[in-house]
Amino acid sequence: MKVVVYCSANPNLPQEIVDITAALGRWIGEGGHSLVYGGVDAGLMHVTAQAARDAGCRSVVGIVPEMFKHRADPLCTELVLSRDLNHRKAMLIERGDVFVVLPGGLGTIDEWVSTLSQLVVEDSDRPIIVVNHNGMYDAQAQQFRATAQSQFARAAGIDRSIMVGNSQELINKLNEINNEI
């Protein structure tokens, strides 16, 4: 299974988040899955790749915009250069079987919304799991529900993100999805 991970590239994040991220990376590596991510050697991106590689992951695909290639993570077994951030998002979405949204900033939220939009357009059932640690994404989830219930949305299916709060819930959900595939 190809697991696309969206997350923060900021350094010095809370240990709780680093631990959740490392658990995800270990699950990817131990399960023989592929990691597909933003490919930058920083923050939770690097934590995910390091944990995956340490757990035996052989396929770590980093998709990096050309302007950031100097920041590419050396842990990548495959480095793919994109024209820009929008092209990177399209490439990430194309390659994923399942998507995991970890805590992150505006770029992470943009990737989540873009993925959600694309999957709705495709009528795809590829899952998006959102780690809503300490309610970080409550407001976004509420907005998606409100939009889905409004007269402006074409389909109620826009509210398809699977919210989890911690690493155990994340791993349980990934195991459930993996067993269904």
Side-chain angles (χ1 to χ4, degrees):
M1 182 164 62
K2 291 179 246 162
V3 182
V4 174
V5 177
Y6 302 134
C7 59
S8 176
N10 281 346
N12 304 316
L13 295 171
Q15 191 60 46
E16 284 179 280
I17 299 304
V18 172
D19 292 344
I20 291 169
T21 303
L24 170 61
R26 281 192 302 276
W27 183 88
I28 292 169
E30 290 170 358
H33 306 290
S34 297
L35 169 63
V36 183
Y37 73 125
V40 173
D41 183 15
L44 298 181
M45 285 194 206
H46 181 72
V47 170
T48 308
Q50 186 69 63
R53 288 297 299 268
D54 289 350
C57 187
R58 293 189 196 139
S59 178
V60 175
V61 180
I63 302 178
V64 180
E66 295 238 5
M67 66 181 146
F68 296 131
K69 68 182 175 185
H70 63 283
R71 296 179 60 198
D73 198 331
L75 295 172
C76 294
T77 59
E78 179 184 352
L79 181 64
V80 180
L81 296 178
S82 65
R83 291 185 305 273
D84 54 31
L85 289 169
N86 284 328
H87 186 225
R88 175 171 85 173
K89 283 188 300 188
M91 294 172 83
L92 288 163
I93 294 167
E94 180 181 303
R95 289 179 180 239
D97 296 317
V98 62
F99 304 87
V100 177
V101 180
L102 293 168
L106 189 56
T108 302
I109 294 168
D110 180 42
E111 290 164 335
W112 174 19
V113 172
S114 293
T115 302
L116 194 54
S117 296
Q118 185 63 40
L119 297 184
V120 168
V121 167
E122 293 175 5
D123 195 25
S124 172
D125 61 354
R126 293 183 285 166
I128 302 172
I129 304 170
V130 179
V131 178
N132 190 27
H133 180 71
N134 290 335
M136 175 170 180
Y137 292 126
D138 284 349
Q140 285 84 7
Q142 182 179 5
Q143 182 61 56
F144 293 152
R145 284 191 299 277
T147 302
Q149 296 167 0
S150 77
Q151 63 185 350
F152 304 105
R154 290 188 193 160
I158 66 167
D159 184 20
R160 61 173 56 204
S161 300
I162 302 163
M163 305 300 270
V164 299
N166 58 50
S167 59
Q168 191 57 56
E169 290 176 16
L170 172 61
I171 299 307
N172 289 345
K173 185 50 71 177
L174 286 166
N175 284 331
E176 182 182 313
I177 291 166
N178 188 48
N179 290 334
E180 292 172 359
I181 293 179

